[in-house]
């Protein structure tokens, strides 16, 4: 991976034999996820042979400054280009790369897509390398690199977030991504998903699997609006990530919700007054606790209606 990530568990205070052996044994090269790094835990143990365990040494052993959750493995340049394409990165975007390593995604976003981009990485050496690379490429005016903890830095300005971490790290980041990022922000992860938050799109490319999510608006609740003929729809929505279900009424009578499709701030609804009635299609655009609805009746008959949470 091209990332170095902070130990978000609260700092390194000792060597946990069981944890270290479990983590080491999981990277056996048997799958895409296992092939990113090989760990030689015995090379670390060699350092203990020089320690004075009886306290006679003039110098106490130094604690390691960094504990990196994710090994550093550079992303292939072709995969970088595909990540940017899948995210739809453009000049109006602000991309944040979490665990940015040598900065190649950040620099490519600026150089190839004319986007502003920010990389966050714990390792000062990687950050320095990335800054030098950006300067050499001539995009330093479009990019920034932060030496910091991806769990602590403010990423709310992002319109695109890229990840090359691990399943466990993605899972810990999930709540932060959902609660911090604006609805409609695109997230692309190389190789690792987010458990029960299923990707909106999954793409296989050059031996890698890429996952894309669009941060969904919070649409759960009761919503009410009026059709052009004066009849009022009332809908109760339930939401799990971008998956939406619900019940609908028209002038107080039970109607039919045929489908609901949420992508970012836009919710597409297909409704029917009854089993034999034609479809009534709406696109609701959400912002905080309000929404706008466009009735999809063709170019000659689209009316913008007010929708409010009730």
């Amino acid at each position: 991976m091209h990332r170095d990530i902070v130990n978000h568990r609260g700092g390194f205070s000792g060597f946990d034999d069981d944890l270290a052996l479990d983590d080491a044994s999981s990277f056996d090269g048997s799958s895409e996820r296992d092939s990113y790094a090989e760990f030689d835990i015995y090379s670390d143990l060699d350092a203990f042979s020089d320690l004075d365990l009886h306290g006679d040494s003039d110098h106490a052993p130094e604690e390691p400054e960094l504990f990196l959750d994710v090994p550093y493995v550079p992303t292939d340049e072709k995969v970088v280009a595909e990540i940017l394409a899948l995210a739809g990165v453009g000049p109006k975007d602000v991309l944040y790369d979490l665990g940015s390593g040598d900065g190649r995604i950040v620099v490519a976003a600026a150089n190839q897509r004319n986007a502003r981009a920010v990389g966050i990485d714990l390792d000062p050496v990687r950050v320095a390398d990335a800054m030098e690379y950006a300067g050499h490429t001539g995009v330093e005016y479009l990019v920034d690199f932060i030496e910091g903890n991806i769990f602590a830095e403010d990423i709310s300005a992002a319109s695109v977030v890229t990840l090359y971490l691990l399943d466990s790290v993605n899972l810990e980041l999930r709540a932060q991504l959902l609660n911090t990022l604006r609805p409609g922000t695109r997230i692309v992860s190389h190789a690792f998903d987010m458990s029960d938050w299923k990707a909106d799109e999954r793409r296989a490319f050059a031996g890698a699997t890429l996952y894309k999510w669009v941060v969904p608006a919070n649409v759960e609740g009761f919503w009410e609006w009026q059709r052009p003929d004066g009849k009022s729809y009332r809908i109760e929505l339930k939401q799990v990530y971008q998956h939406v279900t619900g019940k609908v009424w028209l002038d107080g009578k039970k109607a039919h919700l045929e489908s609901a499709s949420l992508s970012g701030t836009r919710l597409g609804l297909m409704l029917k007054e009854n089993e034999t009635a034609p479809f009534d299609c709406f696109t609701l655009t959400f912002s905080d606790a309000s929404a706008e609805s466009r009735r999809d009746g063709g170019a000659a008959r689209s009316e913008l209606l007010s929708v409010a949470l009730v």
Side-chain angles (χ1 to χ4, degrees), residues 24-77:
S25 62
S26 68
F27 287 85
D28 59 5
S30 60
S31 70
E32 178 186 26
R33 297 177 184 178
D34 294 336
S35 64
Y36 295 111
E38 296 179 356
F39 296 100
D40 183 3
I41 61 175
Y42 297 103
S43 64
D44 293 331
L45 296 179
D46 289 341
F48 285 90
S49 63
D50 296 327
L51 299 182
D52 185 344
L53 301 180
H54 300 287
D56 296 329
S57 173
D58 293 333
H59 302 283
E62 294 183 0
E63 290 290 332
E65 294 181 0
L66 296 175
F67 180 77
L68 305 176
D69 281 347
V70 181
Y72 173 75
V73 178
T75 302
D76 184 89
E77 296 292 350

Side-chain angles (χ1 to χ4, degrees), residues 19 27 67 149 174 185 191 296 301:
L19 178 61
F27 287 85
F67 180 77
N149 181 343
R174 188 175 67 186
T185 301
D296 301 325
R301 195 178 164 220

Side-chain angles (χ1 to χ4, degrees), residues 152-170:
E153 297 295 334
D154 181 9
I155 61 172
S156 59
S159 60
V160 176
V161 172
T162 53
L163 313 168
Y164 190 7
L165 308 173
L166 294 171
D167 285 328
S168 59
V169 182
N170 279 4

Side-chain angles (χ1 to χ4, degrees), residues 63-218:
E63 290 290 332
E65 294 181 0
L66 296 175
F67 180 77
L68 305 176
D69 281 347
V70 181
Y72 173 75
V73 178
T75 302
D76 184 89
E77 296 292 350
K78 292 181 180 178
V79 177
V80 170
E82 189 69 12
I83 287 171
L84 299 178
L86 180 58
V89 177
K92 295 182 179 180
D93 281 311
V94 178
L95 180 147
Y96 274 66
D97 189 23
L98 305 188
S100 49
D102 63 8
R104 62 183 60 196
I105 286 182
V106 172
V107 170
N111 192 36
Q112 300 172 18
R113 301 276 176 156
N114 201 30
R116 294 167 53 207
V118 179
I120 303 175
D121 201 287
L122 179 67
D123 190 337
V125 175
R126 298 296 180 198
V127 172
D129 289 345
M131 294 176 68
E132 183 178 356
Y133 177 38
H136 179 73
T137 311
V139 296
E140 65 277 7
Y141 65 99
L142 283 173
V143 307
D144 191 16
F145 291 95
I146 299 171
E147 180 189 334
N149 181 343
I150 62 172
F151 293 91
E153 297 295 334
D154 181 9
I155 61 172
S156 59
S159 60
V160 176
V161 172
T162 53
L163 313 168
Y164 190 7
L165 308 173
L166 294 171
D167 285 328
S168 59
V169 182
N170 279 4
L171 194 58
E172 290 201 49
L173 271 174
R174 188 175 67 186
Q176 178 184 353
L177 297 172
L178 285 165
N179 295 330
T180 302
L181 299 175
R182 292 165 294 177
T185 301
R186 293 95 71 199
I187 302 168
V188 175
S189 174
H190 179 187
F192 302 101
D193 62 14
M194 292 201 206
S195 188
D196 61 336
W197 185 14
K198 301 303 181 185
D200 293 286
E201 187 175 349
R202 176 174 172 167
R203 181 178 299 180
F205 179 81
T209 301
L210 306 179
Y211 301 87
K212 177 185 176 182
W213 297 263
V214 179
V215 176
N218 181 10

